Amino acid sequence: MSYRKGSKVWVEEKGEGWLEAEVVDAKERAVVVLTSQRKKISVLPEKLLPRDTDEDLGGGHVDDMTKLTYLNEPGVLYNLKRRYALNEIYTYTGSILIAVNPFTRLPHLYNEYMMEQYKGVRLGDLSPHVFAVADASYRAMVNDSRSQSILVSGESGAGKTETTKLIMRYLTYVGGRAVLDDRSVEQQVLESNPLLEAFGNAKTIRNDNSSRFGKFVEIQFDKTGRISGAAIRTYLLERSRVVQINDPERNFHCFYQLCASGKDAELYKLGHASTFHYLNQSKTYELEGTNNEDEYWKTKRAMDIVGISRSDQDAIFRTLAAILHLGNIEFSPGKESDSSKIKDSTSNFHLQMTATLLMCDPDLLVSSLCSRSIHTNEGIIIKALDCAAAVANRDTLAKTVYARLFDWLVENINKSIGQDVDSKAQIGVLDIYGFESFKHNSFEQFCINFANEKLQQHFNEHVFKMEQEEYKSEKINWSYIEFIDNQDMLDLIEKKPIGIIALLDEACMFPKSTHVTFATKMFRNLSSHPRLEKTKFSETDFSISHYAGKVTYQTDSFLEKNRDYIVAEHCNLLSSSRCPLLSGLFTSLPEESVRSSYKFSSVASRFKQQLQALMETLSSTEPHYVRCVKPNSVNRPQLFENQSVLHQLRCGGVLEAVRISLAGYPTRRTYAEFVDRFGVLVPELMLGSYDERALTESVLQKMKLDNFQLGRTKVFLRAGQIAILDVRRAEVLDNAARRIQGRFRTFIARKEFVKTKEASISVQAYCRGCFARKMYKIMRETAAAIILQKHVRRLIVQRNYQEACSAALLIQSCIRGFIARRYFSTIREQKAALVIQSFWRKRKVAMLFQHYKRATIAIQCAWRQKLARKELRKLRMTANEAGALREAKNKLEKKLDDLTLRLTLERRIRAAGEETKLVEISKRDKIIETLSAECAAAKSSARSEHDKNLLLQRQLDDSLGEIAMLRSNKILKAEEEKQNSNLKNIVKSLSEKNSLLENELSTARKSSDDTMEKLKDVEGKCTHLQQNLVKLQEKLTNLENENHVLRNKAFNISPKTVSEKFSASIGLPNSEQKHIFETPTPTKHLAPIPHSTGTRRQKLPVERHEGNHEILSRCIKENLGFKDGKPVAACIIYKCLLHWRAFESERTAIFDHVIEAINDVLKAKEADGRLPYWLSNTSALLCLLQKNLRSNGFFGTPSRRSAGSLGLGGRTGQVRNPACQLFSLSLVGRGDTLAQVDARYPAILFKQQLTACVEKIFGQLRDNLKKEISPLLSVCIQAPKSTRAQPGKASKSPGAGAQQPSNSHWDNIVNFLNLLMDTLRENYVPSFFIRKLITQLFSFINIQLFNSLLLRRECCTFSNGEYVKAGLSLLEKWITDVTEEFAGTSWHELNYIRQAVGFLVIHQKRKKTLEEISQDLCPSLSIRQIYRICSMYWDDKYNTQGISNEVVSAMREMVNKDTANLVSNSFLLDDDLSIPFSTEDLSMAIPATDYADVELPECLHLHPSVQFLLKVS
């Protein structure tokens, strides 16, 4: 591929893997690129990979990597890196899920609400999630009746176990349990994890808790899709680790835990781990952050949970201790050649301990270790073993015991969980170790990588199958696509007779074989294989080119680790053990096996068989893949190491899947996306309407591309073709940019020319102006000189004249000043006298007013105190019987005493204030006297000054003609003026003092006024407290009235009656005791009525009301409709109950019948359609009960009525007093003037049951509406394809308004709301209920739309925001049309979705700061929700960039800080399921119903029980 200047590329780099770069110079054989680190390097074109030029648009990442424009290694890597920086840890690659370990808690991704969101949703519709994969497997199992498997792979620490837990948790959520159980399958499997980790996990080079076995959790389901059982299958346990480990690895955790167990370790004679051969081969005994003793007790607790008995636990730990002691047994050469014996006393001690712990014979143990028996026809031959053979024999025994112990543990765990052998389908979750490549790789890595090669082949077949299925669905020709798998690698390892495993087994059969002979034979037979290489510096090491890379293996210990003999002596030894657990693990061998002491069985062969069984299990299921990735080696959040992730992607087969995609058609685009991107190549065909498929074909033909495929909805391109199209597109865009630049430069040049021309004209005009101004200046100076001479002459004459005038004016002013000062002094004296008089009169009146005011307040306080004491005495008299009321009164008395004390304090403070005022007034009088004295002194000085002025007058009269005397008089005048100014200052200071005194007086008055206001406030509080006291008395009276019923019931029932009732209740039929309604009924709280043989008065009302139950049932079951907006059924029922005096009956079952009948109607099939009708009726009946019943009638003596007066319906003819009957009927007919009825206990309980019934109907109606509107909302959150913006054709300016919805989805919601309003109005549901219902419905709309917006990235687009905004405008119009009476605060309930959509459609998002977004644009949204929207947003209309990186980083830091502090850091909204009203709200909001004019329907006229209603009408 050729690159041009400006092309965006990827360049390979050792440290980071790949770097972003841009071509700055393209030569024939080399390309110079500028990397993101601002370095220029020259590379070959073959070493570069193309990069998408538009990757920064749309958020810079995709949730499915098949959508990448260039599906290559760096594209995959950096897409994961960008998503990981946004805490988007899940990404699809087709149907494969990649999960990057976040190393931090993200509970909002895994709560129950999130599981509900993914339930039943097609894979890919919502954001990538492990729940989506689990749901896809579950739905495939249910729909296809085929078992599924989920393969979770990744290296140690990548999160495989946590991902497995989440998958099982989700399957438990959707599958549930077929039978009741205390623990879920997830809990049972997870509870066994500590046990399996202790016995199957160990420290490796890369992970401290690496699983050294494969685990396949099989969750079993029945026919209905519910979980019926589970089982754990284990594969490929690394048995050789028991006897041999490398530094710095460790053996299995259980050994170290047992050594650190304290008393238990002493019991088994165990010391520190460093004293045992099987553990001290590595110097690592402790793990950072892990306490071995604590882990030991956790393991024991796990055994208790699984159900392992104490005796079995003791046997398990004795066996582990025996293995450790067994490893310390050493051998030395015996007396005979090729024989061995126990080396020394230490080894003998460990031998005795081993025999003791295994409960076997020590001599038999020595014999089984140091010799072997051969059975022949002539007899048994005992052969001694040399030291090396004895050590191998010892290690074989240790590995065999541990492996069988591990299998026994797994079997017991499965028994604890509970398997279903009859299950119809299963979902298996495989958690197995990943590909391993270390500096030193031995036999274990060879087996593990062999298993991963097998799984990779299965994975490749699945990926290729998925590719073929997509090609089939798109109906394209794919038969010529080549697919290269790794079968040659598998043949190299497992093929017989010259595979590596076959050669290894053959070498192990010969005792004299070594790793050198094995390597020599392997290279001789397999040297021509392309995947096998011989290393340069070793004769025995070999390298294999696996799918994930080349691995070099050291064969030094291959033979020892592969040998796994089944020794008859070992089986006989342990089967004879006195420990039941051990003897059960080793049953006696068959006779043919006994003939040979050693039965050869290699580890590699068994590994191969187990692997084959696993592959057969996987092949029988439909696979799903989850690849876990560890982003860094230090387990820190928000740290992404490129090289490590690349290695894991190769090991996990993700890049292999990319390679398979590259072999076919890696680039797939829908026709609309292809036209949007490359339609600029054929602008002549973009005019008017066009067919997208035909246009796509035209573009490809114009570019002369071959081997592309056109499917039904997508175009499929070969590798590299998209780059050719991008190059041509870049050329077209560059040419267009050049044309735009040329036009723009022309515009700039012309603009500069016009500016220059205008400037030259301006300069010429300026020069001419300067010359004209210079000539004008000369002329003006000449004229000014003439004028100046004229004015100088005039000035001289004028000055002489002014001197004469000033002398005359000075004399006149002195005379006039003298007269004015004399007049001013007279006026000032009069004014001062008036001020003093006014102050004195004001003080006298104020003192008199204060005296009257104090007297009035004292009288008022005394009178109010008297009234309060009188009222307190009344309250004390009325509250002697209620203890709670006494406490309230005591509190009020205390408050009254406090107020009295405050009042007295205020009085004292006021008296003290009056005293201080009197002192201040006296001080002010003294000050006024001093001021008057100063005024008198000022008057005397003024008089003396007056005399001086007279003298000066005379002197002036004498010296009028002399100019020298005038000058001296001027000097004297100036001195007098100074003295006058001093006097003025003195007067001014006195006036200021007066003003200060006036201010102090006004402040004192204000303080007195404030005191009076405080006293008034105290009086108001006293009256308010008195009113509250009255209200509390009323409430307490009502509560005492209702509670008195229960006390009377308890007092009136004798022990004998109770025993009779109990005996009678035993004989009641079951139908009467059945729970019919969720709310309590009287029959559940009242004892059953006994059958009595006494007088007629002891018979129950229920026996006399049986004939009237039918009429109530008909009123409830039939739709009687409404009259003038009043529910007929509720009014008829209330009239009947009122006429039959049911509210006043102490014992009646008629209320039970009403409640049961209403519940039966609500449980019917057509009940949903009648919910508005019954909401109207039950609420009306409840309001009638609240307004017309009072619960204090039982305080008086019940009126004695004859038996006939209690009769109902058919027994009306037995009434002894007809006048009483007519009076009762007249009361029924006059509902507006009817007095309140005294209600007894059954009536009060009936009111409570009816309240619960109203709440139930409201909740059921609300839930039904939510179910009906949910499907409508699911199609409204995302704009249809036809309404989405197309960047290539967009011509609307950014300032234009939002687009109008072009489909009927939002209209369907509006029609649904209109139909709902019509239904509610037809059934005359009170506006109070309609308002609450509509408000909760709009709250549900807000929650559903907002949550869907945050879960689906394709919804967080600019065009989709316009679409939803247009739909919300329709809802706003609907709310306005139905008025606030019915809609209430519904528009406010849509705050979250309105602000979120408003944020999507604003322009210039990069200029917005965090404060503007969080405070102005989205004040209701949390930072976590805003961050979620910003991370998912992309502009599909104008291709503009989103929020700036600085704002996103700031939000990410805030989210990370709040994560640890929040109880629930979910960004989703929760639905409100509460009932939004109380009984008091109903009584205040719903008006009273006048039932007097509601007539009996014609269908009920013939019924005898309601004839009284006809007579009244």
Side-chain angles (χ1 to χ4, degrees), residues 147-152 164 168 189 196 213-220 230-236 406 410 414 417 419 426-433 455 458 610 613-624:
S147 296
Q148 308 288 310
S149 60
I150 303 176
L151 282 71
V152 182
T164 304
M168 290 190 294
V189 173
L196 290 177
F213 69 101
K215 181 171 65 175
F216 190 71
V217 181
E218 187 179 275
I219 301 176
Q220 299 155 346
I232 298 177
R233 319 284 186 210
T234 58
Y235 296 92
L236 317 175
F406 185 80
V410 174
N414 287 333
I417 296 174
Q419 301 184 59
Q426 301 88 27
I427 295 180
V429 183
L430 178 64
D431 178 4
I432 197 168
Y433 30 58
L455 293 173
H458 186 265
Q610 290 184 347
L614 174 61
M615 298 311 299
E616 290 175 359
T617 302
L618 295 178
S619 299
S620 63
T621 63
E622 182 70 24
H624 304 267

Side-chain angles (χ1 to χ4, degrees), residues 1127-1329:
V1128 175
C1131 295
I1132 297 300
I1133 292 172
Y1134 181 75
K1135 284 184 178 182
C1136 291
L1137 295 176
L1138 189 65
H1139 173 68
W1140 297 332
R1141 298 183 182 275
F1143 300 123
E1144 303 173 47
S1145 300
E1146 294 187 359
R1147 296 176 183 173
T1148 179
I1150 197 167
F1151 297 131
D1152 289 355
H1153 180 75
V1154 173
I1155 294 296
E1156 289 172 2
I1158 294 175
N1159 287 328
D1160 290 340
V1161 172
L1162 294 179
K1163 290 180 181 178
K1165 294 182 179 179
E1166 64 278 2
D1168 292 344
R1170 299 189 65 185
L1171 288 176
Y1173 170 78
W1174 275 110
L1175 182 61
S1176 180
N1177 276 275
T1178 52
S1179 61
L1181 184 57
L1182 179 61
C1183 289
L1184 287 173
L1185 295 179
Q1186 287 178 333
K1187 296 182 184 298
N1188 296 328
L1189 296 186
R1190 68 167 181 264
S1191 57
N1192 58 350
F1194 47 79
F1195 281 121
T1197 304
S1199 59
R1200 296 188 178 183
R1201 293 186 291 271
S1202 62
S1205 64
L1206 292 174
L1208 302 176
R1211 293 193 177 94
T1212 54
Q1214 298 178 2
V1215 178
R1216 296 181 181 180
N1217 192 353
C1220 294
Q1221 182 186 8
L1222 293 174
F1223 177 70
S1224 65
L1225 293 177
S1226 65
L1227 289 179
V1228 173
R1230 296 172 57 195
D1232 53 344
T1233 59
L1234 181 65
Q1236 288 188 336
V1237 181
D1238 294 339
R1240 297 293 173 176
Y1241 175 72
I1244 296 172
L1245 192 58
F1246 175 61
K1247 185 170 70 173
Q1248 296 174 356
Q1249 293 169 335
L1250 199 59
T1251 303
C1253 192
V1254 171
E1255 293 177 354
K1256 177 187 175 183
I1257 294 172
F1258 180 87
Q1260 192 173 345
L1261 179 60
R1262 176 197 60 197
D1263 295 340
N1264 290 344
L1265 293 175
K1266 289 181 180 180
K1267 290 180 183 177
E1268 293 177 13
I1269 203 172
S1270 291
L1272 301 178
L1273 293 174
S1274 62
V1275 297
C1276 285
I1277 185 59
Q1278 188 174 2
K1281 182 179 177 181
S1282 59
T1283 63
R1284 296 184 191 175
Q1286 297 184 3
K1289 301 185 294 181
S1291 59
K1292 182 182 284 189
S1293 63
Q1299 63 182 9
Q1300 295 298 322
S1302 60
N1303 57 68
S1304 60
H1305 295 322
W1306 286 97
D1307 294 333
N1308 292 338
I1309 292 183
V1310 174
N1311 295 335
F1312 172 81
L1313 295 174
N1314 289 331
L1315 181 61
L1316 172 63
M1317 285 298 300
D1318 294 341
T1319 304
L1320 296 176
R1321 286 170 175 168
E1322 287 173 1
N1323 290 277
Y1324 294 97
V1325 177
S1327 59
F1328 172 79
F1329 287 111

Side-chain angles (χ1 to χ4, degrees), residues 1079-1150:
T1079 56
T1081 59
T1083 56
K1084 298 176 187 177
H1085 295 281
L1086 295 177
I1089 307 301
H1091 298 284
S1092 177
T1093 58
T1095 61
R1096 185 175 180 81
R1097 292 182 180 179
Q1098 295 177 349
K1099 292 185 177 180
L1100 298 177
V1102 68
E1103 296 176 358
R1104 294 187 290 271
H1105 292 177
E1106 290 178 357
N1108 301 282
H1109 288 178
E1110 183 183 353
I1111 184 63
L1112 294 178
S1113 298
R1114 291 191 61 183
C1115 290
I1116 293 172
K1117 293 179 180 179
E1118 298 179 8
N1119 190 345
L1120 302 183
F1122 301 86
K1123 182 181 179 183
D1124 299 332
K1126 303 170 188 175
V1128 175
C1131 295
I1132 297 300
I1133 292 172
Y1134 181 75
K1135 284 184 178 182
C1136 291
L1137 295 176
L1138 189 65
H1139 173 68
W1140 297 332
R1141 298 183 182 275
F1143 300 123
E1144 303 173 47
S1145 300
E1146 294 187 359
R1147 296 176 183 173
T1148 179
I1150 197 167

Side-chain angles (χ1 to χ4, degrees), residues 928-944:
I928 290 171
E929 290 176 359
T930 56
L931 290 175
S932 60
E934 290 179 358
C935 287
K939 286 181 182 179
S940 61
S941 62
R943 287 172 185 167
S944 62

